[in-house]
Amino acid sequence: MAEEKALKQARKNYETLCRLLDSRQWHYSRHDEDLTITCGARGDDLPMDLNIEVDADRELIMLLSPMPFDIPEDRRDAMAVAVSTANYRIADGSFDYNYLKGRIVFRMTASYRGSVIGEELFEYLLFVSCSTIDEYNDKFLLASKSNMAGKDIVAFFS
């Protein structure tokens, strides 16, 4: 359990996140008990579910966004290539791939240990994540439904 000082800092960062979302007229749900925001965004194609947590114990902000589809068992090897290729190309954040469950989740984190967080960090976290997810989610879906081999997937994601 977080110390009182860490919990106070986490709540302050959580409120900063909420202020940013309010200033952008972003629709979201507050989960004050666990300092988590759930919301969605729409890119060029697929919807994006976003979960943003302020973790007082680890002094960490974590954004998670699961892809809105599962990977069929017969495409999971190929999708490991797709996720690896996408991760190699992005500068911040990563796609986590659970091979056994056929699930892909985008994750971006930021540590706030020993620092003051402003709305700009949350803005970066939110907008870079949405941009990255929007760039790749439809490619992942297409690759998961196709018969592309590994080398074709690398070319498609490059």
Side-chain angles (χ1 to χ4, degrees):
M1 188 70 168
E3 295 179 23
E4 188 58 36
K5 182 179 178 184
L7 190 54
K8 184 178 179 180
Q9 181 66 29
R11 285 186 183 126
K12 182 178 176 182
N13 287 326
Y14 177 73
E15 291 302 326
T16 300
L17 169 59
C18 292
R19 271 195 316 277
L20 169 70
L21 294 172
D22 289 340
S23 73
R24 301 282 186 189
Q25 287 101 37
W26 200 292
H27 298 284
Y28 64 96
S29 297
R30 292 178 64 129
H31 307 277
D32 295 342
E33 64 283 351
D34 59 1
L35 305 178
T36 301
I37 296 292
T38 55
C39 58
R42 182 82 182 173
D44 291 333
D45 36 58
L46 300 174
M48 296 175 262
D49 290 331
L50 304 169
N51 302 298
I52 308 168
E53 176 187 353
V54 179
D55 184 332
D57 289 323
R58 296 186 289 171
E59 298 182 69
L60 187 71
I61 300 155
M62 183 168 39
L63 181 147
L64 296 172
S65 180
M67 297 296 105
F69 53 87
D70 292 329
I71 309 303
E73 283 189 44
D74 65 331
R75 294 297 298 156
R76 291 184 184 171
D77 287 346
M79 290 307 294
V81 173
V83 172
S84 295
T85 304
N87 279 337
Y88 182 76
R89 300 188 54 79
I90 59 179
D92 211 350
S94 64
F95 290 97
D96 297 338
Y97 181 44
N98 184 322
Y99 179 90
L100 296 176
K101 293 183 179 181
R103 299 289 299 145
I104 301 171
V105 176
F106 180 79
R107 174 176 43 96
M108 187 183 287
T109 61
S111 173
Y112 61 85
R113 186 178 306 266
S115 60
V116 176
I117 300 299
E119 289 184 11
E120 295 82 10
L121 175 83
F122 286 111
E123 187 174 52
Y124 175 84
L125 186 78
L126 189 61
F127 292 109
V128 169
S129 293
C130 286
S131 175
T132 303
I133 295 162
D134 191 41
E135 180 177 348
Y136 288 101
N137 60 8
D138 59 324
K139 290 179 180 178
F140 286 137
L141 180 60
L142 181 65
S144 74
K145 292 183 175 209
S146 75
N147 290 323
M148 281 190 270
K151 66 180 181 180
D152 299 322
I153 288 172
V154 170
F156 180 63
F157 278 82
S158 296

